[in-house]
Amino acid sequence: PAQADTLVRNRSEGWSAADERGYGEFVAALGASGCRTVDACLKSPANPFRASDDTGLRWRADCADLPYFLRFYYAWKRGLPFAHVSAVSPRGRARDIRYSPRGNQVAARRDVLSGDNALAVMRRLRDTISSATYRIHPRLEGNDLYSPALTPRAIRPGTVIYDPNGHLALVWRVEPNGRIHYIDSHPDNTLTRGQYDLRFVRASPGMGAGFKNWRPLRLAGAQRTGGTLNGGTLTLAANRDIGGFALTQYYGTGPRPANWRQGAFLLQGQRVEYYDYVRAALSGGSLHFDPVREIADMVASNCADLAYRAEAVEIALAAGLQNRPQPERLPPNIY
């Protein structure tokens, strides 16, 4: 049975600009904390809501769950509305909807309303959200996220990054020089950090790769009892009504080409690579490199990757994985 302190209580009809800033600060604090598991992150001083949680809870989320998990957790604690895609279907034929060649479309949605058990919602998110949930053409409506402009204001802590090879990450910091730092989680509940680069590949718009922000939503038709909004229906903003919506990351900065691969990214009249353009756009429109800093950052990133891999091996050894028989097939959640 739902306990009183685990109930969802919607208190606002939508997210204000201050709410969005607060969510970004929440994600940024977790990223800066150095926490190494999702559970440790939400139990650390970086989480301002930790005192309201049962100390016996164990928080878990893999890479695809993490953006939804943190977004709902913040909404629950702040009394903000939340809804989510609960099923997707492929556009065309696909053996695995996580890697559908033409992407997916929303097949079902679910609203989270006052009185729902927040812990049950989190379990449901783990069961229903996968990387396939993000594999949606940016022009399609009805999904939870939209394609943002490549600007410092739009790409911010809380922005989602989708790699069509099947991985998700969350931006937690953007440096003044345009370098993007992200956090990502894994099936073993570990949480790692990295920097945005060519590891997050571009792909056809139908696969929905790249940056995504949360689509504005409104709770309509609810009845207010005291400070709580009961019932109602959640509606999503259309692309045309979102001021920060843009398709630049898919088609380039010039006229839209017939083939997305031909899209050009122009910086001060000069054509540059996509990743350099992102870096320049987020630094204010110019691209400056400090070679010593760049090499140091790349070496630090490589060292971090090695440390994360060593940690994963140590976790496997501690679990006795080396003593088990060779599996007949790899698990479906492997990345």
Side-chain angles (χ1 to χ4, degrees), residues 81-95:
F82 180 84
H84 65 92
V85 171
S86 56
V88 295
S89 59
R91 302 176 72 199
R93 303 179 69 177
R95 288 183 297 178

Side-chain angles (χ1 to χ4, degrees), residues 23-45:
Y23 175 66
E25 292 166 358
F26 170 67
V27 173
L30 296 180
S33 72
C35 56
R36 297 297 297 272
T37 67
V38 177
D39 188 60
C41 286
L42 290 185
K43 291 177 179 176
S44 75

